[in-house]
Amino acid sequence: MAKTRIVFALYPGVTHLDFTGPHQVLVRTPDSEVVAASLGGIDIEAEGLTFSNLADLAAIDRCDVLCIPGGFGTTAAMQDEAFMAQIRRLGAGATYLTSVCTGSLILGAAGFLKGRRAATHWAWRGELPAFGATVGDERVVRDGNVITGGGVTAGIDFALVLLEELAGRDYAEAIQLGLEYAPAPPFEAGRPELARPEVLAVVQARMAAAGAARAAATAAAASKLA
């Protein structure tokens, strides 16, 4: 019986925890093959870390799970037709279409979120409806075979939900225990509704710098779907 093939599609400017958090969980999936890939198999630099020895997305014939991490590079990735062509090709045959953070915008740009509920980072939820998606504000949103995680750290929650689907709850809970995943954040500031107003304002201003370019990329990608 063929192994379950889980493909992480990486691109320049990816957020490394969006990738490595879920990878830490999903690499423990029984009877699986976890593949990290980029267009052309190029090395991917992510906030000071470099991922090398990557597979070439175009050389992967199929996958059971397609997972797309997010990051500030999402904007350029949505506009990279060669990259998007591989996402559409692999996603068309995947059993599960998944993402973390703004990776859901790439799923949307590929045409996979029309009529679906999906999550993304709180700062970019307003971009999802352009792709025909309904915004979910949960840490993990599932709509049929589409499973999406919210911002960055939600990737671990997402991966455990997916692992339960692939290997059962007992196994997923055992992995959670083995990783001692029992979040107890030192501050109640992890979501906009919890953060102090002055903290929220600082982060919103930081995100706004990328807002115009991402909105333009979203609009361009959405127009292609129409």
Side-chain angles (χ1 to χ4, degrees):
M1 185 175 179
K3 291 184 176 181
T4 299
R5 182 180 291 170
I6 302 169
V7 172
F8 285 91
L10 307 185
Y11 51 88
V14 73
T15 294
H16 57 69
L17 187 57
D18 284 6
F19 160 50
T20 56
H23 186 278
Q24 184 75 68
V25 174
L26 294 174
V27 76
R28 290 162 168 75
T29 306
D31 299 316
S32 69
E33 174 190 13
V34 179
V35 181
S38 63
L39 193 62
I42 63 169
D43 291 356
I44 295 295
E45 190 277 332
E47 298 171 301
L49 299 182
T50 299
F51 298 105
S52 59
N53 297 317
L54 302 175
D56 181 358
L57 272 175
I60 298 172
D61 61 342
R62 51 161 294 278
C63 65
D64 299 289
V65 178
L66 178 62
C67 184
I68 306 177
F72 282 107
T74 298
T75 302
M78 285 194 293
Q79 300 174 88
D80 185 339
E81 185 51 41
F83 176 78
M84 292 302 302
Q86 298 307 321
I87 297 302
R88 287 190 291 267
R89 179 183 65 82
L90 288 170
T95 304
Y96 298 99
L97 297 164
T98 74
S99 65
V100 180
C101 197
T102 55
S104 58
L105 300 183
I106 294 176
L107 285 181
F112 295 131
L113 295 186
K114 187 174 182 179
R116 303 293 193 106
R117 290 184 74 248
T120 196
H121 189 285
W122 60 264
W124 308 109
R125 290 173 186 162
E127 305 298 329
L128 282 173
F131 300 120
T134 299
V135 177
D137 63 1
E138 304 97 315
R139 293 271 290 175
V140 182
V141 173
R142 177 167 187 176
D143 189 337
N145 71 330
V146 176
I147 307 175
T148 53
V152 191
T153 62
I156 298 176
D157 301 57
F158 145 77
L160 289 167
V161 170
L162 178 58
L163 185 60
E164 179 186 14
E165 177 73 17
L166 297 174
R169 179 163 180 168
D170 288 351
Y171 188 85
E173 288 190 11
I175 295 302
Q176 180 181 357
L177 177 58
L179 295 174
E180 198 173 349
Y181 181 56
F187 314 115
E188 287 296 324
R191 292 175 68 93
E193 63 269 23
L194 299 175
R196 288 181 287 125
E198 59 270 33
V199 173
L200 177 59
V202 168
V203 177
Q204 286 176 323
R206 188 182 304 153
M207 297 293 184
R214 180 157 290 172
T218 296
S223 69
K224 292 179 182 178
L225 296 179

